[in-house]
Amino acid sequence: ADNSTLNTKAIQSAIDFCGATYPGGSTVLVPRGAFRTASISLRSNMRLHLETGAGLYGSTAPKDYTISFQWFGGRQVYNFNALIIAANLSNVSVTGSNTALGPQDPSVSSVIDGVGWRWWCQAGCMPLVRDGLSRLWCDTVNPDNSTLPVGLLPEPRGQGRPRLVDFYNCTDVTIQAVTIQNSPHWTVHLQYSERLLLSNVTVLSPRSVGNTDGIDPDSCTDVLITDSYIAVGDDGISIKSDNITLDGASTTIQVPTRNVVMRRLLIRSRNWCIGSSTFGGIYNILLEDSEIGDPGDPLSPVPWAIKFKSHEYFPGSIENVTVRRVRIGAVGPTPWMYPASQAHGNFGAFQLGLTYSGKAPRYSGTPYVRNVTFEDIQIESTGFPGAITGLPESCFMDLTFRNVSFGSTKSPGWNCNNVQMGTFVHDNVTPPISGCKNNNSVGTCA
């Protein structure tokens, strides 16, 4: 428990023993202490439980991680496995002993830590590092100035850094009362799984580090995320759907995400998002009674709060989405990632579009957005209210804004294009939505 000895074999042996000896159900207990490890694989009917003061800390040596042929971003690649892997399992849990949300001293919490600093420097995913302002910092954690170790991976290669917690094709999953932080890449990735519960989870990464998504439900069904705290350098929550081959099939199928409920979340940074991968469609989404940003703290802005995006390779439908009773703090330039000098920063609370990095879907279909409602939402301040930007061939349909108010805006105007006006409801919105227009009189814009 000295956070220097590599404990992967010992932990995996305990997991394998309990899974084989007690196939009907077992608990693997991580006692108080700091345990360094690399990839460990869970088993069905198993609970991995961290006591108060227990911590699993990721190795910074790529050779310590197992490698597999895995699905990521709609294609199969070889990549390093996550620190915690659960694949093709049922009734599996990762739990801790946390009694409070947000950053806490490790001695009073249960921690899964990816120790991502060297990976981040190798990936160059920190704007401040690219600008040279944190060169000394990276010189310390990555003294040989190495790049990501993709040379260790067979072809076709993935990104060359592991995620932190990865559940793939699982049913009846619980993640509860644990802090998950400093992931080399996405933090909690939930793929092609059903019946998932995440509660009292704290997800942390520095706000200056990109590609550290907090919680990403990806092609999942029946997901409940409640009473959790997320502060990361990329999408706090990103709801996705991709394509995959299942059960040895020779062709890919599009797997939708359905029935995701999120309640009482504190998404401190960076935003709540749908996309960019929407290949199989995203249906029946609810976010309520939550906060985005830091209401009451104008010095901790987010560059945007609510975002829709659709990748050029993975366009699919977005239908039946409700966001209600949400408080949003300051929206504006963020010195740690998007300073005011960057043209990238539009700094609008709502960024509802069907493109990604300015690229419209063009390879495999057209995305459609139907029946989306935003109601009872308060935004403290923003550069401008937001952008609602459909496509000429695919307008936003049945879109509703009701009881949406801004404390202050530098510019009151909305950017509103390609919305089906006959089904567009905007009631008690201040500043009001006006000037919407369509660029096409056919298709869904008619």
Side-chain angles (χ1 to χ4, degrees), residues 146-398:
S146 60
T147 56
L148 287 172
V150 293
L152 297 177
L153 302 172
E155 295 281 358
R157 295 168 175 166
Q159 294 203 5
R161 46 187 167 140
R163 285 155 283 173
L164 190 46
V165 175
D166 184 13
F167 282 79
Y168 172 88
N169 194 31
C170 293
T171 57
D172 300 304
V173 169
T174 298
I175 304 175
Q176 196 167 40
V178 65
T179 297
I180 307 173
Q181 63 187 23
N182 299 322
S183 177
H185 196 224
W186 295 353
T187 307
V188 180
H189 192 193
L190 311 169
Q191 303 183 78
Y192 319 110
S193 297
E194 297 182 355
R195 298 189 298 276
L196 303 104
L197 169 65
L198 286 76
S199 178
N200 190 23
V201 176
T202 293
V203 181
L204 305 172
S205 283
R207 294 188 180 189
S208 61
V209 180
N211 300 137
T212 53
D213 289 20
I215 301 172
D216 289 359
D218 186 348
S219 297
C220 290
T221 299
D222 298 333
V223 181
L224 176 60
I225 307 172
T226 71
D227 303 288
S228 294
Y229 180 106
I230 305 165
V232 294
D234 215 301
D235 299 327
I237 288 183
S238 180
I239 303 168
K240 309 175 186 291
S241 71
D242 267 316
N243 60 336
I244 188 176
T245 56
L246 293 174
D247 300 326
S250 59
T251 58
T252 60
I253 59 174
Q254 294 119 31
V255 182
T257 287
R258 298 183 186 274
N259 309 333
V260 181
V261 175
M262 294 149 283
R263 293 190 175 107
R264 297 182 298 278
L265 304 184
L266 304 177
I267 305 173
R268 294 299 184 223
S269 182
R270 180 177 65 186
N271 62 277
W272 181 87
C273 174
I274 291 180
S276 62
S277 297
T278 61
F279 199 99
I282 294 174
Y283 307 94
N284 309 331
I285 308 298
L286 173 64
L287 171 68
E288 62 183 4
D289 302 313
S290 297
E291 295 181 358
I292 301 174
D294 286 286
D297 184 0
L299 299 180
S300 296
V302 293
W304 46 81
I306 296 172
K307 190 169 190 176
F308 286 12
K309 51 187 177 179
S310 185
H311 201 287
E312 60 178 333
Y313 295 100
F314 305 117
S317 296
I318 301 170
E319 299 187 25
N320 305 328
V321 178
T322 299
V323 178
R324 64 192 180 196
R325 299 191 299 274
V326 172
R327 295 179 61 220
I328 298 171
V331 177
T334 57
W336 48 85
M337 185 164 286
Y338 295 117
S341 60
Q342 289 192 5
H344 183 89
N346 292 320
F347 312 126
F350 294 90
Q351 297 284 351
L352 309 179
L354 293 176
T355 64
Y356 183 58
S357 297
K359 297 178 181 179
R362 58 194 176 106
Y363 287 105
S364 54
T366 301
Y368 292 95
V369 181
R370 302 180 179 92
N371 193 25
V372 175
T373 298
F374 302 99
E375 61 183 349
D376 300 321
I377 298 177
Q378 298 175 323
I379 303 97
E380 290 187 351
S381 64
T382 185
F384 77 109
I388 309 166
T389 311
L391 299 172
E393 66 274 21
S394 181
C395 278
F396 279 75
M397 297 177 286
D398 299 292

Side-chain angles (χ1 to χ4, degrees), residues 33-113:
F35 299 91
R36 182 155 297 234
T37 183
S39 308
I40 56 175
S41 299
L42 304 182
R43 300 290 180 260
S44 289
N45 302 315
M46 177 173 288
R47 176 189 182 202
L48 178 69
H49 180 70
L50 286 74
E51 289 187 332
T52 300
L56 296 175
Y57 293 85
S59 170
T60 58
K63 64 180 179 58
D64 292 336
Y65 289 80
T66 55
I67 295 170
S68 68
F69 197 43
Q70 55 191 255
W71 280 95
F72 184 79
R75 66 191 185 103
Q76 282 187 296
V77 295
Y78 286 98
N79 201 11
F80 301 106
N81 283 321
L83 194 74
I84 307 293
I85 316 159
N88 307 310
L89 305 180
S90 61
N91 188 27
V92 59
S93 301
V94 176
T95 64
S97 306
N98 291 5
T99 59
L101 292 177
Q104 300 179 73
D105 189 282
S107 65
V108 296
S109 58
S110 305
V111 176
I112 299 171
D113 193 318

